Amino acid sequence: MSTDLENTLYIFMLATFLGLEVIRKVSPLLHTPLMSLTNAISAVSVVGAILITGAQGATTLSKVLGFIAITAAVTNIVSGFLITDRMLKMFKKPGGKK
Amino acid sequence: MAHAVSYIYLISGALFILSLKWMNSPVTARRGVFAGEIGMLMAIAGTLLAFKVFNWEWILAAFFIGTAAGIPIAYIMPMTAVPQRTAMSHACGALAAALVGTAEFYRANQFHEILPTFVMVPLMLETLLGFLTFTGSLMAMGKLQEVLPQRPITYRGQNLTNFTLFGIAAGLAVWLIINPTETWIFPIFAGLALVFGVLLIIPIGGADMPTVIALLNSYAGLSACAMGFVLGNKLLVIAGALDGSSGLILSIIMCKAMNRSFTNVLFGAFGQLQVAHGHAEKRPVRSASPEEAASILEAASSVIIVPGYGLAVAQAQHKIRELYDALMRRGVDVKFAIHPVAGRMPGHMNVLLAEADIPYDRLYEMDDINSEFAQCDVALVIGANDVTNPAARSDKSSPIYGMPILDVDKAHTVMVIKRSMSPGFAGIDNELYYMDKTLMLFGDAKVFVTEILKELPARAAA
């Protein structure tokens, strides 16, 4: 089990550095859509909420908390991806033509 | 089956990374959104199929409500309200993480399962960050929506109160890590984290919102990341780490653009300076009518427009697009100079101007355009204040001294559209307004630009 923790820590370390490098290259033009996109992506935490809510013999407390968590995360996923795309569609190519 | 899903997660993780990579240019950005969506669908479908999932009615109902809420939020929300929506989504993400952590804590105790330290440490981090980001983001949202006052709310001993509260919450978290069966402590800990979130954000003023939004973004991501450690889910760790590092980078950029440190933004309540600088006596300024402004703009060969939060408040982006068109048609070269902290969140002005169909190759970053002000005929400032204040370069006693600014004062003529002479949130008088070459255009940005536009075609016909 502790080797698994070790693996996860390595993944965390690498993902953080990768994230810093990748995000640094994003043009300031797109910082607002970037924020809504990363928000939607991190709402993959819905996976954890599903496992908590859908566990066999989950208590009512687990189900209620899990239910709220899924609702919040799904709201972020749906609105996050859609609004990012809506914003990006507005960035017209130079030349001004649609 | 539970084994196969880890490969699905692996692909999802790769798609998330590609998604962010493709955000580096407006040309590939939409492909990035698509990659993210596929990754998300795979992760959710994989989870639902691979694990023995019970209580489907709860899960489906939550998916239904979340989708029903998400679609209108994405499509009805006006672009001027994007900062509020972003704050709300930080609140939702943080709440989800905090509640999953809470549920996991009580589940383990219910089954008399003692959570080992390497689970309790991330669990306490997840819930601490989750709860404080939840209420903190709600406060930020309230300020952005102007339900709450945008000026900093301060009182004596504020920082001491905050540190004490945080210290107690952190102490309780350590106690719970050592004694994970002491369930009665958990609600006290959660309550303190929720209160701390409120207290952390109320002293922060409107002008500091870009940094705060980015910082809350980072916290929400780290909270989701910690959830990955608790549940042993590597995809959550990757997605959370990407979100956390993105928020971190953005807040560093925002801090640099204001020449301030994190601690200064969080604990330095800018508004207190208001008193010290409120003694500025009335000095004469030159003002101009829409007619005069129109003739100056028309005679210019190059114009740089400097947008700020006032543009968002007045919803003037479409009128500015008309002005841009009218001037470009007359052969005037029009560019937009965008300061990193203009508006209420990173990139706020770019999105508003893009919404009004202004091509993005006309939007310039501060470092790329500053050298051009000296050659430009007219700098037109619309709703921006502190980011144009020359005191940041010259006046060591100014609270914004050292902040990188747009060199608007170097333009041949400066025109500033502003409602009145009242200083901005920072309460600092702007030297720019008293310069000989500066003309103040008093009025609402949208109304004033409309009036300038009325003057322009009349002249062309004459």
Side-chain angles (χ1 to χ4, degrees):
Chain A
M1 207 54 191
S2 75
T3 54
D4 199 43
L5 172 72
E6 214 176 283
N7 289 341
T8 316
L9 279 171
Y10 271 95
I11 290 170
F12 171 66
M13 188 265 293
L14 292 172
T16 305
F17 279 107
L18 182 68
L20 293 175
E21 286 309 310
V22 171
I23 305 292
R24 218 191 292 276
K25 294 207 175 84
V26 174
S27 146
L29 194 65
L30 297 182
H31 277 167
T32 297
L34 169 73
M35 208 181 254
S36 55
L37 181 67
T38 54
N39 219 296
I41 286 176
S42 81
V44 74
S45 60
V46 72
V47 165
I50 291 172
L51 295 179
I52 287 284
T53 321
Q56 191 170 17
T59 58
T60 311
L61 179 73
S62 277
K63 283 191 272 191
V64 171
L65 294 180
F67 172 80
I68 303 172
I70 297 178
T71 310
V74 170
T75 308
N76 267 5
I77 293 172
V78 173
S79 69
F81 281 122
L82 291 180
I83 206 166
T84 308
D85 202 49
R86 187 179 148 209
M87 286 191 267
L88 291 175
K89 263 191 252 176
M90 300 183 315
F91 284 89
K92 295 285 156 19
K93 282 207 177 87
K97 282 191 188 133
K98 285 200 178 183
Chain B
M1 267 312 259
H3 191 66
V5 77
S6 57
Y7 294 101
I8 295 178
Y9 286 163
L10 184 71
I11 300 171
S12 286
L15 285 169
F16 289 163
I17 293 167
L18 280 174
S19 172
L20 295 183
K21 185 180 146 45
W22 281 328
M23 282 299 280
N24 65 9
S25 150
V27 182
T28 52
R30 290 189 68 197
R31 193 196 309 166
V33 177
F34 187 65
E37 286 167 346
I38 299 294
M40 184 64 70
L41 275 178
M42 285 177 63
I44 294 173
T47 308
L48 290 174
L49 293 175
F51 294 96
K52 267 211 159 83
V53 176
F54 297 84
N55 310 314
W56 279 90
E57 67 281 11
W58 291 79
I59 294 172
L60 289 178
F63 264 85
F64 180 76
I65 299 174
T67 310
I71 292 174
I73 291 173
Y75 285 110
I76 297 172
M77 192 73 71
M79 281 299 139
T80 41
V82 161
Q84 292 89 306
R85 192 218 74 100
T86 308
M88 191 188 79
S89 64
H90 296 338
C92 281
L95 179 69
L99 293 184
V100 169
T102 308
E104 173 65 10
F105 175 78
Y106 281 104
R107 185 202 62 78
N109 274 290
Q110 175 89 14
F111 292 102
H112 303 290
E113 185 187 311
I114 295 172
L115 290 171
T117 309
F118 71 86
V119 172
M120 275 311 284
V121 171
L123 193 144
M124 295 319 288
L125 269 175
E126 173 192 352
T127 43
L128 178 66
L129 281 173
F131 281 123
L132 79 85
T133 308
F134 172 60
T135 49
S137 300
L138 287 182
M139 287 301 117
M141 187 181 152
K143 283 185 178 239
L144 290 165
Q145 188 65 41
E146 298 185 32
V147 181
L148 297 171
Q150 295 209 36
R151 66 183 166 73
I153 300 169
T154 52
Y155 51 88
R156 278 172 67 94
Q158 189 160 34
N159 286 340
L160 185 67
T161 314
N162 287 357
F163 282 126
T164 313
L165 204 66
F166 185 78
I168 298 173
L172 290 179
V174 172
W175 189 354
L176 275 167
I177 289 166
I178 299 165
N179 309 293
T181 52
E182 305 266 356
T183 45
W184 62 275
I185 300 175
F186 196 87
I188 307 173
F189 157 78
L192 286 174
L194 288 167
V195 174
F196 179 72
V198 174
L199 296 182
L200 185 68
I201 302 302
I202 55 168
I204 292 169
D208 283 338
M209 275 301 155
T211 318
V212 170
I213 294 266
L215 208 56
L216 291 169
N217 180 3
S218 187
Y219 289 171
L222 288 176
S223 178
C225 187
M227 186 205 285
F229 278 93
V230 172
L231 302 176
N233 186 319
K234 298 184 174 76
L235 177 62
L236 297 196
V237 173
I238 294 175
L242 292 174
D243 194 24
S245 50
S246 166
L248 184 66
I249 291 243
L250 293 177
S251 33
I252 291 172
I253 294 174
M254 295 300 114
C255 277
K256 273 193 189 149
M258 294 197 296
N259 189 35
R260 298 174 65 196
S261 64
F262 276 144
T263 39
N264 187 265
V265 170
L266 285 176
F267 305 110
F270 224 27
Q272 285 164 335
L273 302 154
Q274 234 153 352
V275 194
H277 281 256
H279 57 72
E281 71 274 37
K282 285 208 166 178
R283 289 151 66 186
V285 293
R286 291 169 63 207
S287 68
S289 68
E291 208 179 341
E292 293 165 286
S295 62
I296 294 170
L297 285 171
E298 214 181 358
S301 64
S302 61
V303 172
I304 298 177
I305 298 180
V306 180
Y309 180 59
L311 179 146
V313 174
Q315 310 240 357
Q317 68 271 33
H318 298 286
K319 282 293 161 198
I320 285 165
R321 151 84 193 192
E322 286 178 38
L323 180 66
Y324 163 82
D325 280 343
L327 293 174
M328 288 292 270
R329 266 202 305 274
R330 285 168 168 76
V332 183
D333 181 53
V334 184
K335 290 175 178 170
F336 290 84
I338 301 186
H339 193 277
V341 295
R344 284 294 179 266
M345 70 177 289
H348 191 187
M349 288 300 122
N350 299 302
V351 168
L352 283 185
L353 295 172
E355 185 199 11
D357 276 349
I358 291 165
Y360 60 76
D361 62 341
R362 289 274 134 190
L363 313 180
Y364 290 80
E365 290 167 42
M366 176 169 63
D367 294 337
D368 296 333
I369 200 153
N370 254 349
S371 59
E372 293 189 28
F373 277 106
Q375 289 94 45
C376 121
D377 295 319
V378 182
L380 177 61
V381 180
I382 304 176
N385 186 354
D386 295 336
V387 299
T388 63
N389 193 340
R393 274 199 311 261
S394 54
D395 179 4
K396 281 195 179 161
S397 71
S398 170
I400 58 167
Y401 178 72
M403 170 171 148
I405 56 158
L406 290 163
D407 296 332
V408 173
D409 56 317
K410 293 188 178 154
H412 299 171
T413 305
V414 181
M415 294 200 282
V416 182
I417 304 185
K418 205 173 178 316
R419 278 168 188 277
S420 67
M421 283 306 286
S422 67
F425 291 111
I428 306 155
D429 219 11
N430 194 340
E431 283 302 314
L432 183 72
Y433 303 157
Y434 306 104
M435 289 168 64
D436 283 340
K437 60 178 162 191
T438 303
L439 289 170
M440 299 300 293
L441 313 177
F442 289 113
D444 173 81
K446 193 173 171 181
V447 176
F448 207 98
V449 173
T450 311
E451 283 175 20
I452 293 178
L453 281 166
K454 271 185 211 152
E455 296 297 329
L456 283 175
R459 275 154 202 285

